[in-house]
Amino acid sequence: MTSPRRAFSSAVPSDCWYALSSSEDVGRDLLSVRTVAGPVVLYRTEGGAVVALEDRCAHRPYPLSAGSLVGDHVRCGLCGFVYDAGGQCVSVPTQPRVPFGACVTAYPVDERDSVVWVWLGEPGRARLHRVPDLPWLAGAGWDTVGATTEVAAGLLLLHENFADVTQVPFVAPEIAPAVLDGAPPPLDVVVTETTVELRRRFPPAPMPAWQAAMTGSGGRELATIQEGYFVSPALWVDHWDVADDDGVVARLRFTHLITPVDEGRSRLHWRVSRDFALGDADADEQMRTMFADYYARVRTAMELTQRVIDTDGPGPEVNVGADVAGLRVREIVLAMLADEGVVPATRA
């Protein structure tokens, strides 16, 4: 038996695998994660599997994450109710019989590529949706830096931002590649029922100074191929490859794992992966510092945007060619919500 599931926000699709944590952050300590479906507690069994349970005791409104692990079971720190990895209460300290219906929600979990994915919607639908593959996060031939930050802005605002790289020179000009200085070439956009892909090839130009130094490419002018992927409401991925006539010289992967906390707040797990300067601790630190600053600026910009919407409401917009991918993402998310029986407010 499962407990009643919490209702989702009207602006967030539930039919989606969301990234709740990095693998390294889940262990034999109880980890509480706030989500749009309510608080979730994560832990590993003695065999290493990740468990995700509703972080609220069925007896009283006390977080299970404030309790303790007993083998593979969780004991409530207030009343002593004990729950197994499936969310079923298996022991009550004050009586021999467990009350009928004493359980908490157990969420489907899939761990891969150093990410813990949790399905917060109806559990029977989880098997109909594939967990994304992100091999550069944990595979050989790549080094990755990243962090997690809370953003007081909705999921869709973040996706629309990541879908438009022409904003980068205005948010963080010092890291923007030279190819973004002028008018970008046209986008090739491919849209399916649930995904958006974009691609464009920039003419040869110098790499950013930091990347040229790490690759030893000097001031050579190289072509840049940008590809962007809206994989699901939980994930936007950017590929940035620089190439000469002999092939790809260096590759970057920007992974944006977006987990809704509520309608106007998200948790962003950002990762930047590279296939050059491997094993270079100084390069790691430089990129970590540089991109932490960039994503802090993105957070500030998106929070300002969210405040305008919250204060003044949706308003009219003037769109340009660079918005095409973001607008397609918006259409997909709204269609997903409609399929779930939700008709959210939209911008005029």
Side-chain angles (χ1 to χ4, degrees):
M1 177 181 295
T2 59
S3 63
R5 305 181 74 82
R6 296 177 182 272
F8 264 65
S9 159
S10 63
V12 179
S14 61
D15 276 355
C16 182
W17 286 96
Y18 287 106
L20 262 59
S21 175
S22 63
S23 292
E24 65 181 3
D25 289 337
V26 182
R28 290 291 291 166
D29 294 321
L30 297 170
L31 175 65
S32 183
V33 179
R34 170 64 60 171
T35 77
V36 73
V40 175
V41 59
L42 302 173
Y43 68 92
R44 289 190 188 274
T45 65
E46 292 178 333
V50 178
V51 176
L53 300 177
E54 179 184 1
D55 192 13
R56 177 171 172 150
C57 182
H59 178 227
R60 292 294 184 269
Y62 191 82
L64 292 181
S65 57
S68 59
L69 276 178
V70 182
D72 289 344
H73 296 171
V74 180
R75 175 184 288 144
C76 176
L78 177 66
C79 64
F81 277 39
V82 176
Y83 301 86
D84 65 18
Q88 183 65 47
C89 180
V90 295
S91 175
V92 174
T94 57
Q95 62 188 53
R97 297 183 62 183
V98 174
F100 178 77
C103 63
V104 297
T105 300
Y107 298 98
V109 176
D110 194 323
E111 182 181 14
R112 66 178 68 185
D113 300 323
S114 77
V115 177
V116 174
W117 298 89
V118 177
W119 181 271
L120 300 174
E122 291 298 323
R125 296 184 60 80
R127 60 184 177 81
L128 303 177
H129 297 255
R130 187 175 64 86
V131 173
D133 291 318
L134 304 170
W136 50 86
L137 293 183
W142 295 91
D143 279 346
T144 298
V145 299
T148 298
T149 185
E150 294 273 339
V151 185
L155 171 150
L156 195 49
L157 281 181
L158 288 171
H159 273 294
E160 292 184 21
N161 172 263
F162 296 136
D164 181 9
V165 298
T166 65
Q167 297 176 2
V168 175
F170 303 100
V171 175
E174 65 278 6
I175 70 168
V179 294
L180 293 179
D181 288 345
L187 277 175
D188 292 325
V189 180
V190 177
V191 182
T192 72
E193 188 175 352
T194 58
T195 64
V196 177
E197 298 181 10
L198 63 86
R199 188 180 191 277
R200 61 184 153 203
R201 184 183 181 94
F202 294 87
M207 285 191 289
W210 63 268
Q211 190 178 18
M214 289 185 191
T215 59
S217 298
R220 276 202 301 158
E221 294 196 346
L222 300 168
T224 298
I225 302 96
Q226 179 215 353
E227 296 177 347
Y229 301 90
F230 170 77
V231 182
S232 77
L235 177 63
W236 179 276
V237 174
D238 269 315
H239 294 192
W240 282 85
D241 297 346
V242 290
D244 58 18
D245 292 339
D246 296 325
V248 173
V249 172
R251 296 182 294 172
L252 287 167
R253 298 291 180 265
F254 296 86
T255 305
H256 304 116
L257 300 159
I258 305 169
T259 302
V261 177
D262 58 37
E263 186 169 334
R265 180 174 292 273
S266 306
R267 185 175 301 107
L268 172 64
H269 308 272
W270 62 266
R271 304 287 186 267
V272 182
S273 306
R274 69 183 189 277
D275 72 346
F276 52 90
L278 298 178
D280 186 332
D282 290 338
D284 285 345
E285 185 57 30
Q286 181 181 355
M287 291 188 64
R288 186 179 295 110
T289 300
M290 180 170 52
F291 285 104
D293 178 67
Y294 166 69
Y295 285 105
R297 298 187 198 189
V298 170
R299 180 185 66 213
T300 298
M302 293 301 95
E303 290 180 345
L304 284 171
T305 304
Q306 185 68 57
R307 283 206 294 272
V308 170
I309 294 172
D310 292 344
T311 302
D312 301 324
E317 295 177 331
V318 175
N319 295 306
V320 295
D323 298 314
V324 62
L327 293 173
R328 297 296 180 264
V329 169
R330 187 188 300 181
E331 291 172 359
I332 288 171
V333 171
L334 294 178
M336 292 178 70
L337 292 170
D339 287 344
E340 295 175 15
V342 175
V343 183
T346 59
R347 302 173 197 174

